[in-house]
Amino acid sequence: MKDNKKMKLFSRFVRILVKGNKYLIAILFCIMLTIAGLDLIEPQITRTIIDNAIGLKNTNLLIKSILLYTLVIIISAILNIVLTYLESIMKKRIAIKLKNRSLKHLSKLSGNYYSNIKTGNIISILNSDIFNIENFGIEILLSIVIDIITAVATLIILINLQPDLLIIVLVIQLIIIVIQTKFSKELSNKTKEIRQKDGDISNLIQEYVSNIMNIVISKSKQNFFKRYTKEQRILTNKCINLDLKIAKNTSEINVMSGLIIISIFGYGGLKIINNELSLGELISFQQYIGLLIMPCTRIVNSNTRIQQALVSAERIFELIDEPIEIQQNNVGKKIEKDDNCTIKFENVSFSYTKEYKNLDGINIVFKPYETTALVGSSGSGKSTIINLIFRMWDVDDGEIYINNVDIREYNLKNLRKNISIVTQDSLLFDDTIKNNILLNRKNIEENKFINLCNKLRINEFVDDLEDGFDTIIGENGVKLSGGQKQRLSIARALLGNEKIIIFDEATSALDNISQKIVLKTIKEFTKEKTVIFIAHRISTIVDADKIYVLENGKVIEEGNHIELLKNNKVYRKMFVQEDTIK
Ligand code: ADP
Ligand code: MG
């Protein structure tokens, strides 16, 4: 990272810390300052005890000094508890703030982002990086300020006490700082590499765990383990290497620190023998040196930790700053309660990547009170049309209108609120069957729910379950069959009051008889809505009011079932083929 960029990152980081925590930070600062002040008093008491109380055999003074010393230690200890408590509050606050902000931002990004998303990396940002910030970033920043104050104050005292002894100590200390600075740079680079590798491995594991059933079935476990073992080996080596480097560095520092003690007692002892120094002065000098070195080491060490925190902050900011391509137009037009929705595609063209037009000059109308169907081979662009209506992506050319207003002029939240999409594998939660259908919607009448479940024949399989509608269905509904899952998703959609309802191959896992029943129920429950039906089986859509046949991103035929059969082209061919297969 360039220094300039680092400074910007750092100041943004500090702003986030300070925002909303001003009072807390002020209190923390005062407490730290008091603790530092108390620390500075201790060597003075030591000196009085050794030189004046013990040296002059003054019991009275000894008792007083010891009581004072005890008091200082106790107050310091209590303040430390308060400090940790307040710090902990602040750390959690900031971590939660960053996490929420990242999670919310994620939901505002476009289909483009979601298509290329690396789940593992994002999880690693949300866990490890925010953890880094929480644990290394915040308290260190505060303590640095205090450490600087303590170090400077101690230095002044030491200059007055023993300047020549101080110089010896400082030279050694300077060498320590040089070693540490070099090391901290190296550590920062190595940490970044490790974090990156860690993210890669998280991705692999995520892919493995979330597809475990498929992986077992397709026997591709070996493939995963080959990649995983290799990556894991690289990571392990990097980690061990880093640990070794840290250990070496610690030992170097320990030796140097030992040299400081040795020189204090060697040179200082000589001065006492020559009567240039009292024993109390030497001991208190040593204590002060501790007070000088401790904050200096902390400052230098915190440099490495701040580097780590900055790397983490950079990754978090990258996520938070990911541009929102499809803007939430909060002032935009809204679909009102009594509106019906006519959706019109006018010359719409669109491509996911620049090379190929996935939709090419599409003209389609979806009307309320009607069912409009899209058919076509897989990859012909049917789901893409849905993605555009939901504004996961925006069109490249042409316009999409809802009630003659361009959909880009609508309030995005409101637009999406009015669209319900049921896909082949809609998202199910590891919750009860009932909750999966109701989805926290409190205003759904029990009667309507029971009636619908009866009609969709959800009851048939639910009644066989021990806990009925309260049965928990496992992650993504693993405990249900494909057809059962689809019925739940359809029920969920039919209970909603969205004006536009889209079924994208939503009945693909149902057998023919179940499908007929489900289709009848859908019709009954969506009368005044704009219904879009995508299916690869023609039998599913023969009753549609209007059918569009797509091929390579173009509409090649349109009409109702009878008209299209008369046409005697692609649609008829598809229909005949399906019939013969049956
Ligand atoms: P279908 O008619 O089967 O629903 P889609 O609309 O999903 O077809 O896809 C149309 C074409 O767009 C396909 O060639 C597909 O590979 C491509 N495509 C779909 N989604 C994406 C995406 N997120 N990024 C890039 N290409 C995509
Ligand atoms: Mg599709």
Side-chain angles (χ1 to χ4, degrees):
M1 256 190 272
K2 291 238 172 63
D3 281 350
N4 192 1
K5 192 175 161 203
K6 255 189 211 168
M7 272 324 289
K8 269 195 195 142
L9 210 66
F10 184 73
S11 68
R12 181 165 171 199
F13 179 47
V14 173
R15 275 203 306 276
I16 289 186
L17 297 192
V18 175
K19 206 174 161 202
N21 287 314
K22 284 199 192 81
Y23 292 116
L24 203 52
I25 290 177
I27 296 172
L28 281 176
F29 191 77
C30 290
I31 295 177
M32 284 179 160
L33 211 58
T34 315
I35 294 175
L38 290 175
D39 281 348
L40 287 178
I41 295 174
E42 285 173 25
Q44 292 295 348
I45 306 175
T46 310
R47 183 176 156 193
T48 311
I49 290 174
I50 293 176
D51 285 351
N52 300 350
I54 301 175
L56 304 176
K57 301 203 178 345
N58 183 340
T59 320
N60 211 351
L61 184 62
L62 183 65
I63 292 169
K64 271 188 200 157
S65 307
I66 282 173
L67 284 180
L68 180 64
Y69 210 149
T70 315
L71 191 66
V72 166
I73 289 174
I74 289 175
I75 294 175
S76 200
I78 292 172
L79 285 179
N80 262 311
I81 296 174
V82 179
L83 186 70
T84 310
Y85 172 69
L86 294 178
E87 269 175 1
S88 179
I89 292 178
M90 193 164 99
K91 282 193 313 201
K92 281 289 162 224
R93 256 196 210 171
I94 288 162
I96 291 169
K97 189 160 108 184
L98 283 174
K99 215 174 241 182
N100 286 352
R101 213 162 128 187
S102 310
L103 287 173
K104 277 195 186 132
H105 190 77
L106 209 53
S107 74
K108 292 180 188 161
L109 301 175
S110 70
N112 237 347
Y113 185 86
Y114 300 145
S115 301
N116 299 310
I117 201 166
K118 294 248 190 252
T119 318
N121 271 343
I122 297 204
I123 301 282
S124 141
I125 290 176
L126 291 173
N127 288 339
S128 318
D129 287 317
I130 291 186
F131 179 85
N132 260 354
I133 296 274
E134 181 181 332
N135 286 287
F136 305 129
I138 295 155
E139 59 199 72
I140 292 223
L141 276 182
L142 283 179
S143 67
I144 275 187
V145 180
I146 297 298
D147 281 341
I148 292 175
I149 297 174
T150 317
V152 171
T154 317
L155 196 65
I156 293 170
I157 297 175
L158 282 171
I159 290 171
N160 285 320
L161 225 56
Q162 284 298 318
D164 44 350
L165 194 47
L166 177 63
I167 287 172
I168 299 175
V169 173
L170 282 186
V171 168
I172 303 175
Q173 189 56 36
L174 215 64
I175 298 173
I176 294 182
I177 290 177
V178 171
I179 296 176
Q180 278 310 80
T181 317
K182 214 177 112 222
F183 179 69
S184 74
K185 275 215 178 93
E186 203 180 333
L187 188 63
S188 155
N189 291 338
K190 291 266 179 294
T191 311
K192 191 164 183 177
E193 281 174 28
I194 286 177
R195 294 231 45 71
Q196 190 63 45
K197 216 8 95 221
D198 200 37
D200 292 346
I201 291 179
S202 293
N203 275 331
L204 270 178
I205 292 178
Q206 160 88 24
E207 200 180 278
Y208 176 71
V209 176
S210 57
N211 295 306
I212 185 72
M213 191 106 138
N214 276 331
I215 285 176
V216 173
I217 289 169
S218 65
K219 288 172 263 182
S220 48
K221 192 179 84 185
Q222 278 311 331
N223 180 36
F224 163 78
F225 274 100
K226 223 164 118 188
R227 287 195 301 165
Y228 170 74
T229 317
K230 187 174 152 226
E231 295 287 339
Q232 189 64 53
R233 196 179 310 124
I234 298 175
L235 178 67
T236 311
N237 284 341
K238 278 185 195 289
C239 287
I240 294 175
N241 218 312
L242 182 66
D243 282 345
L244 196 65
K245 284 217 162 81
I246 293 176
K248 261 195 211 152
N249 178 261
T250 313
S251 292
E252 276 167 15
I253 302 299
N254 283 345
V255 170
M256 300 304 272
S257 306
L259 281 182
I260 291 182
I261 305 287
I262 291 168
S263 57
I264 289 176
F265 283 114
Y267 187 71
L270 208 62
K271 282 183 102 173
I272 294 181
I273 292 170
N274 291 338
N275 281 330
E276 289 166 32
L277 193 73
S278 74
L279 183 61
E281 277 168 338
L282 183 69
I283 302 285
S284 71
F285 178 85
Q286 197 215 345
Q287 269 186 333
Y288 274 124
I289 285 292
L291 282 180
L292 176 68
I293 290 177
M294 223 158 40
C296 286
T297 322
R298 262 203 305 259
I299 292 169
V300 176
N301 279 345
S302 56
N303 181 31
T304 64
R305 289 176 147 200
I306 286 180
Q307 300 297 338
Q308 286 174 336
L310 280 184
V311 170
S312 289
E314 192 188 14
R315 284 162 52 94
I316 297 168
F317 291 151
E318 243 168 54
L319 175 62
I320 293 177
D321 292 343
E322 184 64 39
I324 300 177
E325 285 176 31
I326 309 229
Q327 284 294 338
Q328 291 257 8
N329 193 355
N330 279 330
V331 289
K333 199 176 152 50
K334 288 190 176 169
I335 296 172
E336 300 299 335
K337 221 173 160 206
D338 306 323
D339 287 349
N340 292 314
C341 296
T342 303
I343 309 167
K344 199 152 84 187
F345 276 57
E346 267 187 27
N347 288 320
V348 170
S349 294
F350 172 77
S351 32
Y352 288 106
T353 50
K354 292 285 162 276
E355 302 103 52
Y356 180 79
K357 267 196 178 172
N358 298 93
L359 292 180
D360 189 0
I362 295 280
N363 290 295
I364 293 183
V365 185
F366 303 99
K367 291 184 187 156
Y369 297 96
E370 283 191 5
T371 299
T372 310
L374 302 174
V375 292
S377 52
S378 115
S380 57
K382 306 178 298 286
S383 300
T384 306
I385 289 181
I386 307 311
N387 285 338
L388 296 185
I389 297 176
F390 201 69
R391 287 197 72 206
M392 271 322 228
W393 280 266
D394 273 337
V395 299
D396 295 336
D397 270 316
E399 281 87 27
I400 301 172
Y401 297 104
I402 291 181
N403 300 338
N404 294 319
V405 177
D406 193 309
I407 60 166
R408 283 167 290 197
E409 283 174 35
Y410 280 95
N411 175 314
L412 187 65
K413 220 173 175 175
N414 176 271
L415 175 79
R416 289 184 176 173
K417 214 176 108 191
N418 280 290
I419 303 174
S420 172
I421 302 179
V422 191
T423 59
Q424 204 166 356
D425 44 7
S426 286
L427 182 64
L428 292 173
F429 300 95
D430 190 6
D431 199 344
T432 63
I433 293 184
K434 187 162 187 177
N435 286 345
N436 262 293
I437 298 176
L438 290 180
L439 272 194
N440 289 324
R441 294 171 295 193
K442 301 255 180 322
N443 53 350
I444 293 169
E445 294 159 28
E446 186 75 12
N447 273 347
K448 194 175 172 188
F449 171 78
I450 293 172
N451 179 24
L452 179 66
C453 290
N454 263 323
K455 289 206 159 134
L456 290 175
R457 304 225 169 143
I458 291 175
N459 288 44
E460 269 175 22
F461 68 86
V462 168
D463 288 345
D464 290 341
L465 300 170
E466 204 175 310
D467 295 327
F469 276 99
D470 293 325
T471 309
I472 304 230
I473 60 169
E475 201 169 318
N476 252 320
V478 284
K479 296 183 190 165
L480 301 178
S481 78
Q484 291 169 340
K485 284 194 269 187
Q486 288 190 340
R487 283 167 211 239
L488 296 196
S489 312
I490 292 169
R492 179 197 282 172
L494 292 183
L495 286 175
N497 45 14
E498 289 89 349
K499 317 248 169 200
I500 301 166
I501 183 158
I502 299 168
F503 298 94
D504 188 349
E505 318 239 353
T507 58
S508 58
L510 296 176
D511 58 81
N512 271 336
I513 300 170
S514 313
Q515 181 165 273
K516 278 211 176 89
I517 296 161
V518 168
L519 287 177
K520 212 176 120 215
T521 315
I522 289 179
K523 212 162 181 119
E524 185 187 329
F525 275 77
T526 56
K527 279 198 184 95
E528 76 287 16
K529 302 190 179 191
T530 309
V531 180
I532 305 177
F533 223 99
I534 296 178
H536 59 265
R537 273 185 289 184
I538 303 260
S539 60
T540 319
I541 49 113
V542 285
D543 289 330
D545 300 284
K546 177 101 185 197
I547 300 164
Y548 291 92
V549 184
L550 273 98
E551 201 176 271
N552 294 331
K554 288 192 177 113
V555 175
I556 51 166
E557 275 176 76
E558 59 179 271
N560 62 29
H561 180 65
I562 309 286
E563 289 163 357
L564 284 171
L565 282 185
K566 266 194 213 145
N567 233 355
N568 206 10
K569 284 195 206 142
V570 176
Y571 182 85
R572 189 188 170 91
K573 237 184 258 161
M574 286 165 73
F575 185 64
V576 172
Q577 235 169 30
E578 197 178 299
D579 238 18
T580 39
I581 292 168
K582 255 196 290 177

